Amino acid sequence: MSQKPAFTEKKFVILITFATALFLLWGLLHAMSDVLNKHFQNVLNLSKSKSGLIQLSVFGAYFLMSVPAGMFMKRFGYKYGILFGLALFACGTFLFVPAANAQSFTYFRIALFILGCGMATLETVAHPFVASLGDQRTSDQRLNFAQSFNAVGTIIGPFLGSYFLLKSASTVTSSTSLDSVKTLYICIGCCILFIAVCFAFIKVPDLTDPHAVTPADSQEALNIDTEKEQGLIQHRHFIAAVVAQFFNVAAQAGTWAYFINYGVDVMHYNDEKAANFMVLFMAFMAFGRFVGTYLMKFIAPNVLLAIFSVGSILACLVVAQSWGWVSYGALFMVNFFFSIMFPTIFSLGLKNLGKHTQQASSFISMGVVGGAVFPLIMGLVANKNVAHAYYLPIICYSVILLFAIRFYKVRHQA
């Protein structure tokens, strides 16, 4: 019986620390965009469905930027890929200043699009980067560990958004409220630049492909002829992962986008209180990722993904019933069960792809475009009944369940 591989190696500790900081950073900004949904509804007089264009701007950038980001990474390597993503990230935050000065939702969407391009680049690079910092057999644990800090960022995001945006919007004029947007995003942009400068001085060694099959891998993996030339599209588990990731992020974006609206419309809280509950909402996801990372020591990643998918389906059914605190509690559990889905789908989709790993990362990141369209669809239902909008993510979690049960397996088309 072979010895279980280590989580990572000592020489990678600094790199994995910086990588987890990146995961935290874009988690913070993703969650902040969901606070912007409600803030722009108030300040710019937008409907729920129109505010969903915020998610279209951010996640639409993933669709357009993921493949170019993968090509950039393949040409220049992980380090310059990360620095390029951070540069776009910072540029997007600073563009909030002219957008706020113009009080233009269109300008804000342009800034969010550039911000999304930065996040798409970082996600495309960071996932295979973290996977490469150790043995392939523990890549699921490393990705879930890094994504746990992404969840920590999603806790900080609503807290900052509630304090600087929704709290100020209730006490000052709309012009001043947009001034608070400027201040907040300038500060975030400066933090991003600081991280970029620090990372520029860190040496990143040449990293071997962690998803090439090694002699230590399982017998099933050994039976796969990895030396045979295979096109990426012939790896069926990869294609299934792209589809699953599309529906996964669709469910995430819709669930997050209307969480504050659910608190206001169903629980009858004011905007600030509903946003404060979003901090706890994101804490459930962070807790779920730490729990999931631990459970993967004993439970196969696909089995845990299937269990959590069923949990999400049942929770969404309860949320849609508007049963007061019972349904509200179920909404928190949706985020708990969602926790492991993104990194687990990503890691399962990259298994045994060899030289195609970086290109595959780009396409799985493109699957994030699901988050661009689904909030618009949920918003149309939410305009009439925000609780009933939560029936729609059940479709998404059903697709993920199928992936976890059957389509995750590493197979090649003939």
Side-chain angles (χ1 to χ4, degrees):
M1 185 174 182
S2 61
Q3 185 178 0
K4 188 173 179 60
F7 177 78
T8 188
E9 300 175 34
K10 288 184 178 179
K11 64 181 179 179
F12 295 141
V13 170
I14 293 178
L15 290 175
I16 205 167
T17 299
F18 264 87
T20 54
L22 297 178
F23 278 77
L24 185 149
L25 195 60
W26 79 65
L28 186 153
L29 268 296
H30 264 309
M32 194 87 73
S33 68
D34 297 304
V35 178
L36 285 176
N37 256 51
K38 184 58 179 172
H39 184 59
F40 286 160
Q41 287 173 26
N42 296 338
V43 177
L44 300 176
N45 299 314
L46 304 179
S47 66
K48 293 183 181 71
S49 55
K50 190 170 183 180
S51 71
L53 292 172
I54 292 173
Q55 278 69 30
L56 176 63
S57 302
V58 174
F59 290 106
Y62 277 77
F63 180 75
L64 296 176
M65 192 63 196
S66 293
V67 170
M71 294 170 64
F72 186 93
M73 172 178 61
K74 189 172 183 178
R75 174 68 177 83
F76 297 103
Y78 290 122
K79 181 172 183 176
Y80 288 105
I82 289 173
L83 291 174
F84 179 53
L86 288 171
L88 288 172
F89 212 164
C91 182
T93 59
F94 291 134
L95 284 175
F96 270 66
V97 175
N101 289 337
Q103 299 186 37
S104 168
F105 184 52
T106 299
Y107 289 177
F108 274 118
R109 288 185 59 203
I110 293 172
L112 286 162
F113 177 79
I114 301 299
L115 192 71
C117 286
M119 288 192 279
T121 301
L122 289 177
E123 290 214 38
T124 300
V125 177
H127 283 90
F129 181 57
V130 170
S132 72
L133 300 177
D135 193 286
Q136 177 187 201
R137 288 167 292 173
T138 53
S139 63
D140 303 284
Q141 292 181 42
R142 282 193 300 280
L143 282 173
N144 272 281
F145 175 78
Q147 283 281 1
S148 297
F149 287 89
N150 176 268
V152 172
T154 64
I155 296 171
I156 299 171
F159 175 79
L160 292 176
S162 174
Y163 183 82
F164 286 99
L165 305 181
L166 297 182
K167 184 176 181 179
S168 63
S170 65
T171 58
V172 293
T173 64
S174 57
S175 175
T176 306
S177 296
L178 290 178
D179 284 343
S180 68
V181 172
K182 288 193 295 183
T183 302
L184 179 57
Y185 277 82
I186 287 173
C187 291
I188 294 172
C190 290
C191 290
I192 293 169
L193 289 179
F194 175 75
I195 292 173
V197 171
C198 291
F199 189 75
F201 288 97
I202 295 178
K203 183 179 180 181
V204 178
D206 292 333
L207 298 168
T208 57
D209 192 330
H211 289 90
V213 176
T214 65
D217 285 318
S218 65
Q219 185 61 43
E220 178 184 1
L222 286 171
N223 291 333
I224 297 173
D225 183 9
T226 56
E227 296 300 321
K228 181 180 178 180
E229 191 67 30
Q230 295 276 359
L232 183 57
I233 198 170
Q234 293 175 291
H235 296 266
R236 291 185 293 180
H237 72 289
F238 154 72
I239 300 297
V242 173
V243 175
Q245 202 69 287
F246 176 93
F247 284 97
N248 171 55
V249 181
Q252 171 209 317
T255 300
W256 290 10
Y258 300 107
F259 175 84
I260 296 177
N261 287 112
Y262 194 97
V264 173
D265 294 358
V266 178
M267 302 303 293
H268 308 296
Y269 298 138
N270 60 33
D271 293 347
E272 184 185 351
K273 186 173 182 180
N276 287 336
F277 271 109
M278 194 172 192
V279 176
L280 180 61
F281 178 65
M282 294 304 182
F284 267 68
M285 183 174 72
F287 179 64
R289 279 186 176 156
F290 284 113
V291 170
T293 301
Y294 175 76
L295 290 177
M296 282 183 188
K297 294 180 179 180
F298 316 103
I299 304 174
N302 70 292
V303 175
L304 196 62
L305 181 62
I307 293 170
F308 276 39
S309 298
V310 172
S312 293
I313 291 170
L314 296 176
C316 283
L317 285 171
V318 177
V319 171
Q321 308 311 310
S322 300
W323 289 337
W325 263 103
V326 173
S327 292
Y328 204 43
L331 183 53
F332 285 84
M333 290 307 299
V334 171
N335 225 25
F336 174 87
F337 291 124
F338 164 80
S339 60
I340 69 163
M341 293 184 182
F342 188 96
T344 304
I345 293 170
F346 215 110
S347 183
L348 290 172
L350 293 180
K351 292 293 186 186
N352 300 327
L353 293 184
K355 67 180 183 179
H356 298 298
T357 300
Q358 293 180 339
Q359 184 184 14
S361 177
S362 301
F363 285 104
I364 296 177
S365 293
M366 279 182 66
V368 174
V369 74
V373 297
F374 208 67
L376 295 174
I377 299 172
M378 282 189 68
L380 294 174
V381 180
N383 281 336
K384 298 179 179 179
N385 189 312
V386 70
H388 289 172
Y390 283 89
Y391 279 121
L392 297 179
I394 294 174
I395 300 170
C396 303
Y397 293 123
S398 298
V399 173
I400 297 167
L401 178 60
L402 287 174
F403 171 76
I405 293 173
R406 181 175 180 182
F407 296 106
Y408 77 95
K409 294 180 181 179
V410 179
R411 294 172 180 167
H412 304 286
Q413 292 179 357

